[in-house]
Amino acid sequence: MTVVAGVGSQGALGISLSDARRLVIDLKRPVAWIYWTDLLASVAVGATAFALFPVHDPVSVWAAACVLVAATAFYRAVLFVHELVHAAEGLRGFSLVWHLLVGIPLLVPKFIYEFHREHHASRTYGTAADGEYVDYATGPRWRVLLTPLTAVVGLPVFIARFLVLAPVSWILPGVRGWVLTRGSALAIDAEFVRPLPAGRLPRHWLVQEAACFGYCVLVAVLLATGRIPWIRLAEAYAVITVVLFVNWLRVLASHRYESAGAPMSFPDQILDSVDHTSCALLAELWAPLGLRYHAVHHLFPWLPYHALPRARRRLAAAIPAGGGYWDTADPSLWATLRRLLARTRKDETIRKDVRP
């Protein structure tokens, strides 16, 4: 149950929700030129690095550098889908251009991420209805260690989803239901079943799905006819794998994952989230678009990414040193991951001790 603003939040965070909102409400409007410049620059850098990949010398330092640069830039570009769900919907033409440059070519259309809003709802956060939450802190350690390694199957899964399952599901209604509920969400919970919207399926779902299918067919034809060398597919696989691996590390470091499956109050959701406040340049590589301010984002999910640093500075000036909000701060990605692994190792020891 969500605590009442000004009562529970004051004690838990060191500031009431109403006071916190008043601090940042003027930052709510997304600045269009920042979004456009950031997106187009990210795509330009990624595409240039991808094009400069030495197809005749794929196992080289230069090839590795091209893959890493392309992955870093495309990773930043992909994560604008998070902004499209939260703060950038009102930017005219931004969603269309993002889909044409990023969402369709990388097979991550917005409709497979729209369920993300449930991750911020008090009734669903940390429960089975939250596809972006897994009880990593109370589960086995091997699950934390294995999660980033699933990046190696990412591109084949995306291709199978849009090139094979999509057209099959258009023909077979039984398959369609499974594809929409189990294969249409960028979820981290393998058991998550996505609820479908009431009434008719949104038209943009089908449009984006069909566009991804068409893109896959086009690339397949170009590969089969020799217009695109097969090494480019291997390069794309390497880039996507790096993107997914880094994103998995970000996901593991975004929360404490201490929910037992029951709904959490809004302040508890914030305290279960993590801000990474040191090594800003390095953190921006693995948690771009303000996602290193993850606790701030959960406090103000409607703020555009470029406003999160300023919002946190205002919170710093308003919340006393002993305020619970400061428990969300971690110095680095590695500090968060070490704590998570230490917690799972501790819980494994407890489980062994109580086993009959």
Side-chain angles (χ1 to χ4, degrees):
M1 181 172 63
T2 304
V3 294
V4 178
V7 182
S9 60
Q10 180 78 49
L13 303 177
I15 190 171
S16 70
L17 297 182
S18 57
D19 287 344
R21 181 181 176 88
R22 278 194 291 269
L23 282 176
V24 303
I25 192 64
D26 62 305
L27 305 177
K28 184 176 182 179
R29 180 183 292 275
V31 179
W33 72 263
I34 294 179
Y35 275 82
W36 283 107
T37 302
D38 200 338
L39 173 64
L40 296 178
S42 298
V43 172
V45 171
T48 300
F50 193 87
L52 291 176
F53 180 87
V55 295
H56 300 297
D57 189 18
V59 185
S60 63
V61 174
W62 179 247
C66 288
V67 167
L68 290 176
V69 172
T72 300
F74 282 135
Y75 176 48
R76 186 177 188 89
V78 165
L79 284 181
F80 273 100
V81 70
H82 183 262
E83 291 298 302
L84 287 173
V85 169
H86 279 295
E89 288 184 322
L91 293 180
R92 186 175 181 181
F94 191 82
S95 178
L96 175 61
V97 172
W98 179 86
H99 273 96
L100 292 176
L101 297 179
V102 183
I104 304 306
L106 277 80
L107 305 182
V108 284
K110 176 175 172 272
F111 86 90
I112 65 174
Y113 194 62
E114 290 173 351
F115 75 101
H116 171 72
R117 295 187 182 96
E118 298 303 313
H119 181 57
H120 289 269
S122 294
R123 68 183 184 283
T124 52
Y125 178 90
T127 70
D130 181 359
E132 292 188 89
Y133 199 99
V134 173
D135 57 343
Y136 287 118
T138 56
R141 184 172 54 166
W142 63 261
R143 185 164 56 183
V144 175
L145 297 173
L146 180 63
T147 292
L149 301 181
T150 61
V152 299
V153 300
L155 183 57
V157 167
F158 292 159
I159 293 174
R161 163 62 179 87
F162 290 107
L163 182 61
V164 180
L165 292 178
V168 170
S169 72
W170 297 337
I171 300 170
L172 302 177
V175 176
R176 186 64 173 164
W178 185 91
V179 168
L180 291 176
T181 58
R182 299 301 299 269
S184 298
L186 288 175
I188 70 173
D189 183 359
E191 299 179 359
F192 177 65
V193 178
R194 182 179 186 177
L196 298 181
R200 298 184 61 180
L201 201 67
R203 184 171 177 268
H204 70 275
W205 284 35
L206 183 58
V207 171
Q208 293 171 19
E209 183 181 47
C212 288
F213 169 71
Y215 181 81
C216 287
V217 171
L218 175 62
V219 171
V221 170
L222 294 175
L223 286 169
T225 57
R227 300 294 182 89
I228 296 179
W230 284 91
I231 191 63
R232 289 295 188 187
L233 181 60
E235 179 192 4
Y237 173 79
V239 169
I240 296 301
T241 299
V242 172
V243 168
L244 292 174
F245 181 82
V246 175
N247 188 60
W248 273 121
L249 294 181
R250 180 193 64 81
V251 166
L252 290 173
S254 295
H255 295 287
R256 297 178 185 274
Y257 295 106
E258 295 178 349
S259 171
M264 300 174 69
S265 71
F266 187 62
D268 284 340
Q269 293 178 41
I270 298 165
L271 295 176
D272 190 52
S273 304
V274 181
D275 277 350
H276 292 90
T277 56
S278 301
C279 304
L281 181 59
L282 178 61
E284 195 64 21
L285 296 178
W286 62 265
L289 301 190
L291 288 175
R292 65 190 183 94
Y293 299 103
H294 206 71
V296 182
H297 169 62
H298 270 264
L299 182 55
F300 311 116
W302 35 267
L303 276 183
Y305 76 97
H306 55 72
L308 295 179
R310 191 184 304 179
R312 195 175 196 280
R313 288 194 294 270
R314 292 183 182 182
L315 288 173
I319 299 177
Y325 175 79
W326 301 122
D327 291 338
T328 65
D330 269 358
S332 68
L333 167 69
W334 310 117
T336 306
L337 295 178
R338 283 197 302 270
R339 184 186 63 236
L340 184 61
L341 288 172
R343 175 68 187 271
T344 57
R345 183 162 55 249
K346 176 183 177 182
D347 283 350
E348 284 181 343
T349 301
I350 293 174
R351 283 192 291 272
K352 290 177 182 177
D353 289 343
V354 300
R355 188 176 301 159

